[in-house]
Amino acid sequence: MMSRRDVLAAAAAGLTTAPVTAGPILRADDPGFSAVVDPGAQLRTLYAGGRWCEGPCFAPALGGLVFSDVRSNRMLVLGEDGEARTFRDPSNNANGNTLDAQGRLVTCEHRGRRVVRREADGGLTVLADSYAGKSLNSPNDAALGPDGAIWFTDPIYGITVPDEGIMAEPAQSARRVYRIAPSGGIAAMTEALDQPNGIAFSPDGRTLYVSDTGAALKNPEGARAIYAFAVTAGPLPAPRVFATLEAGVADGLAVDEAGRVYAACVDGVRVFGSSGAPLGRIATATAAANVAFGGPDGRRLFVCAGPAVHAIDLQVRGARFA
């Protein structure tokens, strides 16, 4: 069984960053999938020179699609001209990225064991690097909340997987989801999951989706589900299971304007209705690690999958808070 942590083979010699067009393998599990993606839509490979591409974030003010190549310890930005340019090198094994309420890039760093914000002059402001006086594990992915808070997951991959950070013993007693208030300050919101990973909000901001990738740590009995939390003013209540995978794990998550959930999985991007019912799958040749909406009209789905970054234009837009 192939997991999110499996080391992917290096990109084949001769690969370039030039876009390559190929027909996606679309599997419809429900008639509603046709409302998501046209059967004739094309999956384009925009970049194929990475080791483990992650954290796609569409940021036109920064030049295009910002993404992390975690195991190469760098970040790149992919412009509309198709060129991939260095954004941060080294990047502290950066992983997930998101934009804050002011449009500033927020990045989770494995090696730095911190969450940082990029300022207008290119400098970095540390938003969180510890909790209760102890270092974080390795912040993995982040999402903007409806009130301007930044939420992030803190599993242990960056301190236990070679090439993704610096090996260390966890300082925290649990793997948590944290919230950084708009005014600053970090609060633990839940420690109910084994290895919280991908994170995204419903369009109304009342539900938080988090993928649990405990099964990726060579534990066949580990978690391989997406959980839904009702968002409250304080710590999150116990979650409900939103969707469960029969193999592999769900990694990064995204949500569209109708509340459908997109999960990066070992066999591509799986799409679920707002009830958790499977709608269909957009296949990728290598395990997908993360997804994000963007593009000129918000309908383009960017997919990070091993050495590559793909894109496919959908019939729906990504969710945005009012």
Side-chain angles (χ1 to χ4, degrees):
M1 179 180 66
M2 184 178 180
S3 76
R4 179 252 186 264
R5 295 293 121 184
D6 289 334
V7 177
L8 298 177
L15 286 177
T16 71
T17 59
V20 177
T21 300
I25 299 173
L26 300 177
R27 184 187 73 189
D29 298 314
D30 184 279
F33 193 50
S34 61
V36 174
V37 56
D38 186 281
Q42 296 291 308
L43 182 71
R44 296 175 294 141
T45 299
L46 306 180
Y47 176 77
R51 291 184 62 198
W52 187 260
C53 296
E54 256 279 13
C57 180
F58 188 64
L62 297 177
L65 182 77
V66 175
F67 66 97
S68 303
D69 188 351
V70 183
R71 295 175 185 173
S72 293
N73 193 21
R74 62 177 181 169
M75 296 172 67
L76 299 99
V77 59
L78 190 60
E80 283 294 323
D81 59 0
E83 291 296 318
R85 301 174 178 86
T86 299
F87 186 75
R88 282 181 61 192
D89 188 358
S91 67
N92 268 340
N93 295 110
N95 193 333
N97 299 285
T98 192
L99 298 179
D100 72 4
Q102 284 74 51
R104 297 169 294 189
L105 186 71
V106 174
T107 300
C108 295
E109 295 181 354
H110 281 185
R111 181 176 293 262
R113 299 171 75 168
R114 63 185 189 171
V115 180
V116 299
R117 182 181 67 215
R118 185 184 188 275
E119 306 298 349
D121 62 0
L124 299 178
T125 297
V126 178
L127 301 181
D129 60 4
S130 63
Y131 176 72
K134 297 180 180 180
S135 296
L136 296 172
N137 294 319
S138 57
N140 187 282
D141 206 357
L144 173 66
D147 62 351
I150 297 293
W151 295 61
F152 70 94
T153 56
D154 189 41
I156 61 173
Y157 297 115
I159 56 177
T160 60
V161 178
D163 295 337
E164 292 205 5
I166 298 175
M167 302 301 93
E169 291 296 320
Q172 297 294 330
S173 61
R175 281 72 62 193
R176 303 183 180 93
V177 175
Y178 294 97
R179 175 183 181 272
I180 305 171
S183 59
I186 179 174
M189 303 307 290
T190 183
E191 54 185 63
L193 306 186
D194 182 10
Q195 298 293 334
N197 198 316
I199 184 169
F201 281 92
S202 62
D204 62 9
R206 297 178 180 177
T207 302
L208 178 71
Y209 299 103
V210 183
S211 61
D212 192 339
T213 53
L217 291 177
K218 301 186 184 304
N219 175 12
E221 301 302 321
R224 57 177 81 253
I226 302 170
Y227 291 88
F229 294 85
V231 178
T232 60
L236 297 173
R240 61 180 171 87
V241 175
F242 175 76
T244 301
L245 276 67
E246 69 279 4
V249 295
D251 200 330
L253 304 175
V255 179
D256 72 19
E257 59 190 348
R260 304 178 191 89
V261 175
Y262 299 69
C265 300
V266 68
D267 55 0
V269 180
R270 297 197 182 195
V271 185
F272 301 90
S274 58
S275 67
L279 299 180
R281 173 169 60 91
I282 303 167
T284 54
T286 52
N290 215 330
V291 290
F293 279 93
D297 59 1
R299 297 177 185 268
R300 187 164 298 157
L301 186 71
F302 294 100
V303 184
C304 287
V309 177
H310 308 293
I312 184 169
D313 290 333
L314 304 184
Q315 301 186 109
V316 294
R317 295 183 176 86
R320 293 182 181 180
F321 299 127

